[in-house]
Amino acid sequence: MLPVPLEHYLIVAGILFTLGVVGVMVRRNAIVTLMSVELMLNAANLLLVVFARVHHDIGGQAMVFFVLTVAAAEAAVGLAILVAVYRRKRSVDVDGLNMLKG
């Protein structure tokens, strides 16, 4: 049994995920958008760990390592693209990133 009730973890994960969605939808800065995506991934990780603990299954915790790996790769590639864009345009505003259309 968890010392903290399951509902509390669900509420925290819901708040984190909502903040991430709002950050992606409202903010125009690409770096803030990447951080908001990280918030959403961490909310999913929290739920995976909690449900793995409740159901006594190690699979959820193993999945967290996969999600962390994907998040690290996403951050590295995303920041590299943003640095290249910033060097060219001197801005990371997502509305001005239409040069990647090909």
Side-chain angles (χ1 to χ4, degrees):
M1 189 68 190
L2 295 172
V4 178
L6 178 64
E7 294 83 16
H8 293 176
Y9 289 108
L10 295 176
I11 291 170
V12 170
I15 290 171
L16 283 176
F17 194 84
T18 303
L19 287 174
V21 169
V22 169
V24 168
M25 299 297 286
V26 172
R27 299 301 299 261
R28 302 280 46 128
N29 189 327
I31 294 174
V32 174
T33 302
L34 283 177
M35 290 187 328
S36 298
V37 170
E38 294 292 327
L39 268 180
M40 289 189 282
L41 290 173
N42 283 328
N45 281 340
L46 177 64
L47 290 180
L48 285 170
V49 169
V50 168
F51 284 121
R53 171 101 185 208
V54 168
H55 295 290
H56 303 289
D57 184 17
I58 195 78
Q61 294 177 2
M63 189 69 181
V64 168
F65 287 116
F66 178 72
V67 172
L68 286 175
T69 304
V70 170
E74 171 257 335
V77 172
L79 287 175
I81 291 171
L82 288 179
V83 167
V85 167
Y86 182 77
R87 285 182 178 171
R88 184 176 177 131
K89 297 188 75 167
R90 295 289 173 201
S91 173
V92 289
D93 187 20
V94 292
D95 291 332
L97 297 180
N98 58 2
M99 67 184 192
L100 297 176
K101 288 183 179 175

